PDB file of all heavy atoms in Angstrom:
ATOM      1  N   ASP U 722     -10.831 -13.280  -4.139  1.00 98.00           N
ATOM      2  CA  ASP U 722     -10.765 -13.897  -5.461  1.00 98.00           C
ATOM      3  C   ASP U 722      -9.491 -13.517  -6.206  1.00 98.00           C
ATOM      4  O   ASP U 722      -9.000 -14.282  -7.037  1.00 98.00           O
ATOM      5  CB  ASP U 722     -11.957 -13.464  -6.319  1.00 98.00           C
ATOM      6  CG  ASP U 722     -13.283 -13.830  -5.682  1.00 98.00           C
ATOM      7  OD1 ASP U 722     -13.452 -15.004  -5.325  1.00 98.00           O
ATOM      8  OD2 ASP U 722     -14.138 -12.939  -5.535  1.00 98.00           O
ATOM      9  N   ALA U 723      -8.991 -12.321  -5.929  1.00 98.00           N
ATOM     10  CA  ALA U 723      -7.862 -11.794  -6.702  1.00 98.00           C
ATOM     11  C   ALA U 723      -7.064 -10.819  -5.851  1.00 98.00           C
ATOM     12  O   ALA U 723      -7.580 -10.251  -4.882  1.00 98.00           O
ATOM     13  CB  ALA U 723      -8.361 -11.086  -7.967  1.00 98.00           C
ATOM     14  N   VAL U 724      -5.805 -10.629  -6.232  1.00 98.00           N
ATOM     15  CA  VAL U 724      -4.941  -9.675  -5.539  1.00 98.00           C
ATOM     16  C   VAL U 724      -4.226  -8.797  -6.558  1.00 98.00           C
ATOM     17  O   VAL U 724      -3.943  -9.228  -7.678  1.00 98.00           O
ATOM     18  CB  VAL U 724      -3.895 -10.385  -4.646  1.00 98.00           C
ATOM     19  CG1 VAL U 724      -4.559 -11.122  -3.505  1.00 98.00           C
ATOM     20  CG2 VAL U 724      -3.037 -11.325  -5.464  1.00 98.00           C
ATOM     21  N   ALA U 725      -3.936  -7.557  -6.155  1.00 98.00           N
ATOM     22  CA  ALA U 725      -3.104  -6.657  -6.948  1.00 98.00           C
ATOM     23  C   ALA U 725      -1.821  -6.414  -6.167  1.00 98.00           C
ATOM     24  O   ALA U 725      -1.867  -5.939  -5.029  1.00 98.00           O
ATOM     25  CB  ALA U 725      -3.835  -5.338  -7.200  1.00 98.00           C
ATOM     26  N   LEU U 726      -0.687  -6.762  -6.769  1.00 97.00           N
ATOM     27  CA  LEU U 726       0.599  -6.671  -6.085  1.00 97.00           C
ATOM     28  C   LEU U 726       1.340  -5.420  -6.534  1.00 97.00           C
ATOM     29  O   LEU U 726       1.715  -5.291  -7.701  1.00 97.00           O
ATOM     30  CB  LEU U 726       1.432  -7.918  -6.373  1.00 97.00           C
ATOM     31  CG  LEU U 726       0.777  -9.255  -5.979  1.00 97.00           C
ATOM     32  CD1 LEU U 726       1.727 -10.414  -6.243  1.00 97.00           C
ATOM     33  CD2 LEU U 726       0.330  -9.238  -4.521  1.00 97.00           C
ATOM     34  N   CYS U 727       1.576  -4.515  -5.597  1.00 95.00           N
ATOM     35  CA  CYS U 727       2.200  -3.220  -5.891  1.00 95.00           C
ATOM     36  C   CYS U 727       3.560  -3.095  -5.201  1.00 95.00           C
ATOM     37  O   CYS U 727       4.022  -1.992  -4.924  1.00 95.00           O
ATOM     38  CB  CYS U 727       1.285  -2.089  -5.452  1.00 95.00           C
ATOM     39  SG  CYS U 727      -0.377  -2.184  -6.136  1.00 95.00           S
ATOM     40  N   THR U 728       4.185  -4.221  -4.916  1.00 94.00           N
ATOM     41  CA  THR U 728       5.492  -4.220  -4.255  1.00 94.00           C
ATOM     42  C   THR U 728       6.603  -3.901  -5.252  1.00 94.00           C
ATOM     43  O   THR U 728       6.411  -3.997  -6.471  1.00 94.00           O
ATOM     44  CB  THR U 728       5.783  -5.602  -3.666  1.00 94.00           C
ATOM     45  OG1 THR U 728       5.954  -6.534  -4.757  1.00 94.00           O
ATOM     46  CG2 THR U 728       4.665  -6.083  -2.766  1.00 94.00           C
ATOM     47  N   PRO U 729       7.804  -3.560  -4.755  1.00 92.00           N
ATOM     48  CA  PRO U 729       8.971  -3.526  -5.649  1.00 92.00           C
ATOM     49  C   PRO U 729       9.169  -4.892  -6.302  1.00 92.00           C
ATOM     50  O   PRO U 729       8.796  -5.931  -5.726  1.00 92.00           O
ATOM     51  CB  PRO U 729      10.127  -3.179  -4.698  1.00 92.00           C
ATOM     52  CG  PRO U 729       9.479  -2.435  -3.576  1.00 92.00           C
ATOM     53  CD  PRO U 729       8.138  -3.107  -3.399  1.00 92.00           C
ATOM     54  N   PRO U 730       9.772  -4.932  -7.495  1.00 93.00           N
ATOM     55  CA  PRO U 730       9.880  -6.206  -8.220  1.00 93.00           C
ATOM     56  C   PRO U 730      10.749  -7.251  -7.522  1.00 93.00           C
ATOM     57  O   PRO U 730      10.526  -8.453  -7.704  1.00 93.00           O
ATOM     58  CB  PRO U 730      10.489  -5.789  -9.566  1.00 93.00           C
ATOM     59  CG  PRO U 730      11.133  -4.468  -9.318  1.00 93.00           C
ATOM     60  CD  PRO U 730      10.304  -3.795  -8.272  1.00 93.00           C
ATOM     61  N   GLN U 731      11.714  -6.814  -6.708  1.00 94.00           N
ATOM     62  CA  GLN U 731      12.644  -7.784  -6.121  1.00 94.00           C
ATOM     63  C   GLN U 731      11.962  -8.798  -5.204  1.00 94.00           C
ATOM     64  O   GLN U 731      12.464  -9.910  -5.035  1.00 94.00           O
ATOM     65  CB  GLN U 731      13.744  -7.067  -5.326  1.00 94.00           C
ATOM     66  CG  GLN U 731      14.654  -6.185  -6.149  1.00 94.00           C
ATOM     67  CD  GLN U 731      14.286  -4.732  -6.039  1.00 94.00           C
ATOM     68  OE1 GLN U 731      13.101  -4.405  -6.068  1.00 94.00           O
ATOM     69  NE2 GLN U 731      15.262  -3.850  -5.933  1.00 94.00           N
ATOM     70  N   VAL U 732      10.851  -8.422  -4.588  1.00 94.00           N
ATOM     71  CA  VAL U 732      10.206  -9.309  -3.608  1.00 94.00           C
ATOM     72  C   VAL U 732       8.899  -9.897  -4.122  1.00 94.00           C
ATOM     73  O   VAL U 732       8.233 -10.641  -3.407  1.00 94.00           O
ATOM     74  CB  VAL U 732       9.932  -8.547  -2.287  1.00 94.00           C
ATOM     75  CG1 VAL U 732      11.241  -8.039  -1.687  1.00 94.00           C
ATOM     76  CG2 VAL U 732       8.966  -7.389  -2.495  1.00 94.00           C
ATOM     77  N   ARG U 733       8.539  -9.600  -5.355  1.00 95.00           N
ATOM     78  CA  ARG U 733       7.192  -9.932  -5.813  1.00 95.00           C
ATOM     79  C   ARG U 733       7.005 -11.416  -6.118  1.00 95.00           C
ATOM     80  O   ARG U 733       5.913 -11.960  -5.942  1.00 95.00           O
ATOM     81  CB  ARG U 733       6.837  -9.095  -7.042  1.00 95.00           C
ATOM     82  CG  ARG U 733       5.361  -9.180  -7.396  1.00 95.00           C
ATOM     83  CD  ARG U 733       5.005  -8.258  -8.532  1.00 95.00           C
ATOM     84  NE  ARG U 733       5.317  -6.885  -8.188  1.00 95.00           N
ATOM     85  CZ  ARG U 733       5.837  -6.014  -9.046  1.00 95.00           C
ATOM     86  NH1 ARG U 733       6.119  -6.375 -10.277  1.00 95.00           N
ATOM     87  NH2 ARG U 733       6.075  -4.780  -8.669  1.00 95.00           N
ATOM     88  N   HIS U 734       8.046 -12.101  -6.594  1.00 97.00           N
ATOM     89  CA  HIS U 734       7.874 -13.482  -7.047  1.00 97.00           C
ATOM     90  C   HIS U 734       7.307 -14.380  -5.955  1.00 97.00           C
ATOM     91  O   HIS U 734       6.343 -15.120  -6.177  1.00 97.00           O
ATOM     92  CB  HIS U 734       9.197 -14.050  -7.568  1.00 97.00           C
ATOM     93  CG  HIS U 734       9.116 -15.501  -7.911  1.00 97.00           C
ATOM     94  ND1 HIS U 734       9.494 -16.499  -7.034  1.00 97.00           N
ATOM     95  CD2 HIS U 734       8.659 -16.140  -9.020  1.00 97.00           C
ATOM     96  CE1 HIS U 734       9.290 -17.669  -7.595  1.00 97.00           C
ATOM     97  NE2 HIS U 734       8.789 -17.483  -8.793  1.00 97.00           N
ATOM     98  N   ALA U 735       7.908 -14.351  -4.771  1.00 97.00           N
ATOM     99  CA  ALA U 735       7.457 -15.240  -3.695  1.00 97.00           C
ATOM    100  C   ALA U 735       6.017 -14.920  -3.294  1.00 97.00           C
ATOM    101  O   ALA U 735       5.220 -15.837  -3.033  1.00 97.00           O
ATOM    102  CB  ALA U 735       8.388 -15.124  -2.489  1.00 97.00           C
ATOM    103  N   ILE U 736       5.674 -13.636  -3.244  1.00 98.00           N
ATOM    104  CA  ILE U 736       4.315 -13.248  -2.877  1.00 98.00           C
ATOM    105  C   ILE U 736       3.331 -13.713  -3.947  1.00 98.00           C
ATOM    106  O   ILE U 736       2.272 -14.280  -3.642  1.00 98.00           O
ATOM    107  CB  ILE U 736       4.229 -11.722  -2.691  1.00 98.00           C
ATOM    108  CG1 ILE U 736       5.173 -11.269  -1.573  1.00 98.00           C
ATOM    109  CG2 ILE U 736       2.802 -11.302  -2.377  1.00 98.00           C
ATOM    110  CD1 ILE U 736       5.310  -9.758  -1.460  1.00 98.00           C
ATOM    111  N   ALA U 737       3.673 -13.475  -5.214  1.00 98.00           N
ATOM    112  CA  ALA U 737       2.785 -13.879  -6.308  1.00 98.00           C
ATOM    113  C   ALA U 737       2.594 -15.386  -6.340  1.00 98.00           C
ATOM    114  O   ALA U 737       1.478 -15.882  -6.554  1.00 98.00           O
ATOM    115  CB  ALA U 737       3.344 -13.377  -7.636  1.00 98.00           C
TER     116      ALA U 737
END
Side-chain angles (χ1 to χ4, degrees):
D722 301 308
V724 294
L726 302 183
C727 306
T728 67
Q731 296 101 318
V732 300
R733 192 175 301 141
H734 174 264
I736 299 171

